[in-house]
Amino acid sequence: MATTQPFEFRRTRDFGESFSALFEFLRQNWKNLSKSLVLIAGPLILILGVGGGFLLSEVISTFQRTTLNSLNFTENIGIISLESIVLVITYFLTGAAILAITTEYIKLTMDGYVEEFEVSYLWAKISSHFSMHISNFIIINVVSLAISVPFFILYAMSALVGGLGGGVGVVVAGFLLFIFVGMPVSVYVATMLSLFPMMRMTENIEAIAGIKRCFYLIKSNFWVTFGYYFVVSMIQGTVGVIFMIPLYVLYFVAIITIIPQAGHSADGSDLFNVGIGYQIAFTVAGVIAVGGSLLLNAMTISAHALQYFNLVERKEGVGMMAKLDLLGTPENPTLDLDNNEDY
């Protein structure tokens, strides 16, 4: 595989330069990166989109054609719950796949493997680090939930106690604790853990040591990192709305209009069925919405990687030290040696 001059990740950047670098990286690599995302994560996204579309159609159909106390309603809810669990697992695998694809691709660009890029080579790299990528995704989500869920439970309990006669003060205290303590802590931990996947990809560090190192890197750099991520998320969210428009339109239609009924049940009552055309349109819209939003996550992951290298350079200067080591090294040592022999 031929090499070319890689995009320079290892350098310090200020707030504005970070955005310029992000869009420059995406501009240079969007073809290879998007092709990799579609070919590797595409099947999972298709399953997720199709399954989600059919699931939502089934939910709408169930609530309009059966009563809450009927046996059919209970059976349908059980099936819907099982399908939801399968979709959650698929969503988890898709998120892990997109994280793996993006971080592995960034590592390849740093090594210069972009000129004759092959998706098969990227897939081989992902497969060789499969357990690490899965554990990265699990650690990020588990730690974030472990931090945020207790505060949410505490707020819910305070609301329950307040509703049972504990007074408004208990509810307000729980709400304020959740807003001013729970949310800031959760945001801080999530911002800190954003450095974790690229760190493990680059440094091959153990999980516990990696989390400690994330705290070290984010120290004194939280606000600039949070601000950078916030703006990137706003950009991603704005672009993502475009992919959601078809699904929103069809969902709105399903809610406010009466979809024509087709056929009757065994007892002669009306049987609600969405038309096949509507189901197909809803499924396609679901694939577009889910696929677009998930693929856009590659932009956020790239922003996290850029910030990781930015913070490493600010605190340790790894890239600068590497450049200093190269000072005085001839560009072509063999040719230089041959020239010296002429003397």
Side-chain angles (χ1 to χ4, degrees):
M1 212 178 258
T3 61
T4 187
Q5 185 65 31
F7 177 87
E8 187 178 8
F9 278 92
R10 291 191 181 278
R11 56 165 293 186
T12 59
R13 294 181 171 93
D14 60 25
F15 194 77
E17 289 173 338
S18 295
F19 289 103
S20 300
L22 174 61
F23 294 122
E24 178 65 17
F25 170 75
L26 295 175
R27 184 190 67 80
Q28 291 180 7
N29 297 276
W30 73 270
K31 288 184 179 179
N32 290 340
L33 187 54
S34 60
K35 181 170 68 173
S36 303
L37 290 167
V38 170
L39 292 180
I40 298 177
L44 289 172
I45 292 175
L46 186 62
I47 293 172
L48 197 60
V50 172
F54 274 110
L55 179 62
L56 193 52
S57 296
E58 191 172 345
V59 170
I60 295 173
S61 176
T62 296
F63 277 94
Q64 293 199 22
R65 76 184 182 189
T66 59
T67 60
L68 295 178
N69 297 324
S70 68
L71 180 61
N72 288 337
F73 181 84
T74 304
E75 292 177 351
N76 290 341
I77 290 298
I79 295 173
I80 289 172
S81 299
L82 182 60
E83 293 174 350
S84 300
I85 293 173
V86 173
L87 287 178
V88 168
I89 295 174
T90 306
Y91 186 86
F92 168 83
L93 294 175
T94 306
I98 292 174
L99 180 63
I101 292 166
T102 309
T103 53
E104 286 282 5
Y105 181 82
I106 289 174
K107 186 65 168 60
L108 288 182
T109 62
M110 294 179 66
D111 295 336
Y113 295 102
V114 292
E115 188 173 329
E116 296 180 3
F117 173 78
E118 294 290 341
V119 176
S120 59
Y121 186 76
L122 177 62
W123 172 245
K125 287 289 187 179
I126 294 173
S127 300
S128 65
H129 301 136
F130 181 77
S131 60
M132 183 188 69
H133 292 302
I134 292 295
S135 65
N136 286 347
F137 195 78
I138 291 175
I139 289 170
I140 291 172
N141 287 276
V142 168
V143 173
S144 298
L145 286 174
I147 296 298
S148 59
V149 168
F151 288 101
F152 181 79
I153 293 176
L154 185 62
Y155 167 61
M157 290 178 62
S158 66
L160 179 62
V161 172
L164 295 176
V168 179
V170 177
V171 180
V172 173
F175 177 76
L176 293 177
L177 182 65
F178 177 72
I179 293 297
F180 294 104
V181 179
M183 289 188 65
V185 171
S186 299
V187 169
Y188 183 88
V189 171
T191 303
M192 177 271 296
L193 287 176
S194 68
L195 311 175
F196 186 75
M198 199 67 234
M199 177 189 297
R200 292 197 74 193
M201 184 77 257
T202 306
E203 303 180 19
N204 194 26
I205 194 171
E206 294 296 328
I208 300 300
I211 293 175
K212 292 180 179 178
R213 181 161 166 75
C214 287
F215 277 108
Y216 162 73
L217 290 176
I218 207 70
K219 185 179 180 181
S220 303
N221 293 287
F222 168 75
W223 286 111
V224 66
T225 303
F226 172 74
Y228 173 49
Y229 289 173
F230 180 79
V231 176
V232 171
S233 67
M234 291 297 100
I235 296 173
Q236 178 181 334
T238 302
V239 177
V241 168
I242 298 174
F243 295 98
M244 298 295 294
I245 289 175
L247 186 64
Y248 286 153
V249 171
L250 291 173
Y251 182 75
F252 182 73
V253 170
I255 295 299
I256 68 171
T257 64
I258 300 175
I259 303 174
Q261 296 174 348
H264 297 82
S265 61
D267 60 0
S269 61
D270 291 329
L271 176 64
F272 175 84
N273 268 321
V274 294
I276 186 64
Y278 180 87
Q279 284 187 336
I280 293 175
F282 207 99
T283 300
V284 172
V287 172
I288 293 173
V290 174
S293 62
L294 286 172
L295 293 177
L296 283 173
N297 285 342
M299 180 173 70
T300 299
I301 297 169
S302 300
H304 295 170
L306 279 168
Q307 187 63 6
Y308 159 71
F309 289 111
N310 180 25
L311 296 182
V312 169
E313 289 306 304
R314 288 182 180 276
K315 294 208 169 187
E316 300 171 354
V318 175
M320 181 60 67
M321 293 300 295
K323 291 178 181 179
L324 291 175
D325 289 340
L326 293 175
L327 289 178
T329 303
E331 188 171 333
N332 192 331
T334 304
L335 180 61
D336 187 67
L337 179 61
D338 291 342
N339 291 336
N340 289 337
E341 288 177 352
D342 291 340
Y343 291 97

